[in-house]
Amino acid sequence: MHSIVKFWKKFFIILAVVIVCSGCKNAFLPPISYNPWEVIQLPTEATLFDIGFTDNLDHGWIVGADATLLETNDGGETWQPKTIDLEEKARLTSVSFNGKEGWIVGQPSVLLHTDDGGESWSRIALSSKLPGAPNTITALGLNSAEMTTDVGAIYRTEDGGQNWHAQVEDAVGVVRNISRSSDGKYIAVSAKGNFYSTWEPGQQSWVPHNRQNSRRLENMGFSDDGRLWLLARGGQLRFSDAENPEEWGEAINPEYATSWGLLDLAYRTPDEIWVSGGSGNLLRSTDGGQTWEKDREVENVPENFYNILFLNSETGFILGQRGTMLKYNSSLGSEEA
């Protein structure tokens, strides 16, 4: 008798869940009609953090944990490991090129520079008084770059890294992530995800902002049209108002069932958005975020997709755990890209 009661109790619980989920518009997303991403086999199992290309889009570099440095000369189809003499197993976090001039930063205190596309790299010493550890680097022009640290300090050089000038008076505190817009603005999410801060050229300090609700922030960045976007715990996505970044639109939950781990967002075109996440989670919207579909063919890649970026509408990459990389290939499938 007891087993029968347990059976019917379990049955009604499952039935209730099915009924509730059937009423959720985005409980399970429809699959995209084709998969434009191919998995690229890399000669490493290190976690990958960033990718950058010279003025020749066939020639690029990847950086990652354990001093991982990989080079491609065929647009990202194949990659070869490169070795730089570092005393420690550095965590290389960011790479950026402007023409053939490139920069790499990493932790605990690594700054590398090249002016020949990476044929040779020179290490530049950083001051022991630098607040925090190098975190991101952006190549801006001849001998010019902007560097941030993991506590939100911003520095700029105009002489090839020999001298760095602080752009803000005080650091913002330990950050989860930090992003730069094409016109030099920054947005940083605090380490615990409980607030975010913004800065733009000319300001003396960071401007703090409260999050929109109780959900902790996961990542934030800039869209090409000047808006901000944010990813929050529980698979929540928001976009700011184009005219007033302080005003945010309604919360979007692309997929209630599995989107608890959304980690990064990138635009392929002004209307096509890709969002990557944990455990092979990859979502797409072709109408600016109003409706969503899921790339189910990459769900068999059991890794977190940390970083997604597009160099242009035809060239994109996803970086993740244990040497995971996906390359966007618009020729795959039958749907027009």
Side-chain angles (χ1 to χ4, degrees), residues 275-296:
V275 175
S276 61
S279 300
N281 209 8
L282 188 58
L283 315 178
R284 181 181 75 165
S285 172
T286 58
D287 53 16
Q290 297 182 51
T291 60
W292 293 85
E293 52 193 354
K294 189 164 188 174
D295 190 335
R296 298 199 176 276

Side-chain angles (χ1 to χ4, degrees), residues 112-134:
L112 304 173
H113 179 242
T114 180
D115 57 12
D116 56 14
E119 287 187 28
S120 60
W121 292 91
S122 59
R123 185 168 184 177
I124 299 174
L126 291 170
S127 170
S128 59
K129 297 180 180 180
L130 182 74

